[in-house]
Amino acid sequence: YAYWGIEPMLKWIDAINDQQYCLMHKSVFEFGNHWEVFKHSELDGNIAAYVSLGAGTGEKDADILKSLLEKNKNMLYIPIDMSSNMIEECLKNINKILSNFPTNHIFPVVMDFSKLNLLKKLKKMMKQSAVKWQEILISFYFFFIDINT
């Protein structure tokens, strides 16, 4: 679903809250359980960066960031979405929920992450950055990938 512009973005937000749209509804409302299990069984050490593929409204990301910031106050947050409007909504919510999270630790990316070549470019950029690739957590819906494991 492409949601360029404010109207389509608002319709997307309505859709993710619609119980008839099972995958998104499940992603949003069962997310907490998946995150709790993952963070207690899979995370190994400090995460230097959190990459969110399809950051959406940022509300789920705020829960993840709260946990990760307990171990590393200097971590980076990289929200990725194909809609600049959704990135703006995400950043607004992150700033509201995590008012003490430094904005210079947020690197928003407007990108269609379904394009493999763009993901490869992102991976290359991350490998060349100061952040060790092994210390990056990536999420997509309620799936998590810890590059360390």
Side-chain angles (χ1 to χ4, degrees), residues 16 18 21-31 34 142:
I16 63 174
D18 185 349
Y21 190 12
C22 295
L23 178 62
M24 287 307 299
H25 188 72
K26 183 177 182 178
S27 171
V28 171
F29 294 100
E30 292 186 11
F31 164 77
H34 292 279
F142 53 80

Side-chain angles (χ1 to χ4, degrees), residues 88-103:
E88 288 176 24
E89 181 72 13
C90 169
L91 297 177
K92 180 181 78 174
N93 287 326
I94 291 293
N95 288 328
K96 183 170 45 173
I97 298 167
L98 297 171
S99 58
N100 60 341
F101 190 70
T103 55

Side-chain angles (χ1 to χ4, degrees), residues 55-142:
T57 62
E59 292 166 0
K60 292 187 300 181
D61 289 353
D63 289 337
I64 294 171
L65 289 168
K66 283 178 194 175
S67 298
L68 296 177
L69 287 167
E70 290 173 6
K71 293 185 177 183
N72 184 357
K73 300 278 185 218
N74 295 314
M75 66 167 292
L76 298 175
Y77 170 48
I78 305 167
I80 300 175
D81 207 286
M82 68 187 296
S83 165
S84 60
N85 295 102
M86 193 60 83
I87 288 287
E88 288 176 24
E89 181 72 13
C90 169
L91 297 177
K92 180 181 78 174
N93 287 326
I94 291 293
N95 288 328
K96 183 170 45 173
I97 298 167
L98 297 171
S99 58
N100 60 341
F101 190 70
T103 55
N104 64 340
H105 289 213
I106 301 173
F107 183 69
V109 178
V110 177
M111 179 179 87
D112 182 355
F113 57 86
S114 70
K115 308 281 189 222
L116 187 58
N117 64 325
L118 295 177
L119 281 178
K120 287 179 180 178
K121 287 180 182 180
L122 177 67
K123 181 179 178 180
K124 183 178 178 181
M125 180 199 71
M126 294 298 294
K127 282 186 171 185
Q128 293 172 347
S129 75
V131 175
K132 293 180 184 171
W133 183 245
Q134 295 82 2
E135 298 174 344
I136 296 173
L137 177 68
I138 301 170
S139 76
F140 176 65
Y141 289 111
F142 53 80

Side-chain angles (χ1 to χ4, degrees), residues 4-16:
W4 294 288
I6 293 182
E7 290 250 348
M9 179 200 66
L10 294 174
K11 288 181 182 180
W12 178 253
I13 292 171
D14 287 343
I16 63 174

